[in-house]
mmCIF file of all heavy atoms in Angstrom:
data_model
loop_
_atom_site.group_PDB
_atom_site.id
_atom_site.type_symbol
_atom_site.label_atom_id
_atom_site.label_comp_id
_atom_site.label_asym_id
_atom_site.label_seq_id
_atom_site.Cartn_x
_atom_site.Cartn_y
_atom_site.Cartn_z
ATOM 1 N N GLY N 1460 7.507 13.321 18.731
ATOM 2 C CA GLY N 1460 6.758 14.005 19.788
ATOM 3 C C GLY N 1460 6.195 15.328 19.316
ATOM 4 O O GLY N 1460 5.064 15.697 19.665
ATOM 5 N N ALA N 1461 6.969 16.050 18.514
ATOM 6 C CA ALA N 1461 6.506 17.346 18.007
ATOM 7 C C ALA N 1461 5.285 17.166 17.099
ATOM 8 O O ALA N 1461 4.322 17.933 17.200
ATOM 9 C CB ALA N 1461 7.633 18.051 17.247
ATOM 10 N N THR N 1462 5.312 16.146 16.243
ATOM 11 C CA THR N 1462 4.160 15.942 15.360
ATOM 12 C C THR N 1462 2.948 15.435 16.140
ATOM 13 O O THR N 1462 1.811 15.756 15.794
ATOM 14 C CB THR N 1462 4.481 14.968 14.208
ATOM 15 O OG1 THR N 1462 4.980 13.745 14.744
ATOM 16 C CG2 THR N 1462 5.491 15.570 13.255
ATOM 17 N N GLN N 1463 3.184 14.691 17.209
ATOM 18 C CA GLN N 1463 2.061 14.249 18.041
ATOM 19 C C GLN N 1463 1.425 15.449 18.742
ATOM 20 O O GLN N 1463 0.204 15.556 18.807
ATOM 21 C CB GLN N 1463 2.536 13.229 19.068
ATOM 22 C CG GLN N 1463 1.403 12.620 19.871
ATOM 23 C CD GLN N 1463 1.899 11.545 20.815
ATOM 24 O OE1 GLN N 1463 3.040 11.563 21.273
ATOM 25 N NE2 GLN N 1463 1.026 10.595 21.114
ATOM 26 N N ASN N 1464 2.245 16.358 19.245
ATOM 27 C CA ASN N 1464 1.716 17.575 19.869
ATOM 28 C C ASN N 1464 0.965 18.434 18.854
ATOM 29 O O ASN N 1464 -0.068 19.029 19.170
ATOM 30 C CB ASN N 1464 2.841 18.381 20.510
ATOM 31 C CG ASN N 1464 3.410 17.694 21.726
ATOM 32 O OD1 ASN N 1464 2.765 16.858 22.346
ATOM 33 N ND2 ASN N 1464 4.639 18.030 22.066
ATOM 34 N N GLU N 1465 1.501 18.499 17.650
ATOM 35 C CA GLU N 1465 0.846 19.252 16.580
ATOM 36 C C GLU N 1465 -0.531 18.657 16.277
ATOM 37 O O GLU N 1465 -1.513 19.387 16.134
ATOM 38 C CB GLU N 1465 1.738 19.194 15.339
ATOM 39 C CG GLU N 1465 1.330 20.075 14.204
ATOM 40 C CD GLU N 1465 2.360 19.995 13.073
ATOM 41 O OE1 GLU N 1465 2.362 18.988 12.332
ATOM 42 O OE2 GLU N 1465 3.168 20.930 12.958
ATOM 43 N N ALA N 1466 -0.596 17.329 16.217
ATOM 44 C CA ALA N 1466 -1.873 16.658 15.958
ATOM 45 C C ALA N 1466 -2.881 16.961 17.071
ATOM 46 O O ALA N 1466 -4.055 17.206 16.804
ATOM 47 C CB ALA N 1466 -1.670 15.148 15.834
ATOM 48 N N ALA N 1467 -2.412 16.964 18.310
ATOM 49 C CA ALA N 1467 -3.305 17.258 19.438
ATOM 50 C C ALA N 1467 -3.797 18.700 19.375
ATOM 51 O O ALA N 1467 -4.976 18.968 19.651
ATOM 52 C CB ALA N 1467 -2.585 17.001 20.757
ATOM 53 N N LEU N 1468 -2.926 19.619 19.001
ATOM 54 C CA LEU N 1468 -3.325 21.020 18.871
ATOM 55 C C LEU N 1468 -4.382 21.171 17.778
ATOM 56 O O LEU N 1468 -5.400 21.854 17.969
ATOM 57 C CB LEU N 1468 -2.113 21.900 18.540
ATOM 58 C CG LEU N 1468 -2.408 23.369 18.263
ATOM 59 C CD1 LEU N 1468 -2.925 24.055 19.525
ATOM 60 C CD2 LEU N 1468 -1.168 24.066 17.743
ATOM 61 N N TYR N 1469 -4.168 20.530 16.646
ATOM 62 C CA TYR N 1469 -5.142 20.599 15.556
ATOM 63 C C TYR N 1469 -6.479 19.991 15.972
ATOM 64 O O TYR N 1469 -7.543 20.506 15.634
ATOM 65 C CB TYR N 1469 -4.614 19.882 14.317
ATOM 66 C CG TYR N 1469 -3.412 20.537 13.663
ATOM 67 C CD1 TYR N 1469 -2.575 19.801 12.844
ATOM 68 C CD2 TYR N 1469 -3.113 21.879 13.860
ATOM 69 C CE1 TYR N 1469 -1.474 20.387 12.232
ATOM 70 C CE2 TYR N 1469 -2.021 22.468 13.264
ATOM 71 C CZ TYR N 1469 -1.203 21.719 12.446
ATOM 72 O OH TYR N 1469 -0.124 22.291 11.848
ATOM 73 N N LYS N 1470 -6.420 18.869 16.695
ATOM 74 C CA LYS N 1470 -7.648 18.222 17.148
ATOM 75 C C LYS N 1470 -8.381 19.139 18.127
ATOM 76 O O LYS N 1470 -9.617 19.221 18.097
ATOM 77 C CB LYS N 1470 -7.312 16.885 17.817
ATOM 78 C CG LYS N 1470 -8.490 16.015 18.092
ATOM 79 C CD LYS N 1470 -9.282 15.640 16.862
ATOM 80 C CE LYS N 1470 -8.679 14.506 16.103
ATOM 81 N NZ LYS N 1470 -9.518 14.047 14.982
ATOM 82 N N ASN N 1471 -7.646 19.845 18.963
ATOM 83 C CA ASN N 1471 -8.251 20.800 19.888
ATOM 84 C C ASN N 1471 -8.928 21.938 19.121
ATOM 85 O O ASN N 1471 -10.056 22.335 19.448
ATOM 86 C CB ASN N 1471 -7.180 21.354 20.830
ATOM 87 C CG ASN N 1471 -7.767 22.239 21.891
ATOM 88 O OD1 ASN N 1471 -8.635 21.821 22.651
ATOM 89 N ND2 ASN N 1471 -7.301 23.480 21.950
ATOM 90 N N ASN N 1472 -8.263 22.450 18.101
ATOM 91 C CA ASN N 1472 -8.863 23.502 17.276
ATOM 92 C C ASN N 1472 -10.138 23.006 16.593
ATOM 93 O O ASN N 1472 -11.116 23.747 16.479
ATOM 94 C CB ASN N 1472 -7.871 24.002 16.228
ATOM 95 C CG ASN N 1472 -6.750 24.808 16.838
ATOM 96 O OD1 ASN N 1472 -6.824 25.246 17.983
ATOM 97 N ND2 ASN N 1472 -5.674 24.994 16.086
#
Side-chain angles (χ1 to χ4, degrees):
T1462 55
Q1463 186 176 28
N1464 290 338
E1465 189 176 77
L1468 175 66
Y1469 293 158
K1470 191 59 81 174
N1471 186 57
N1472 289 345

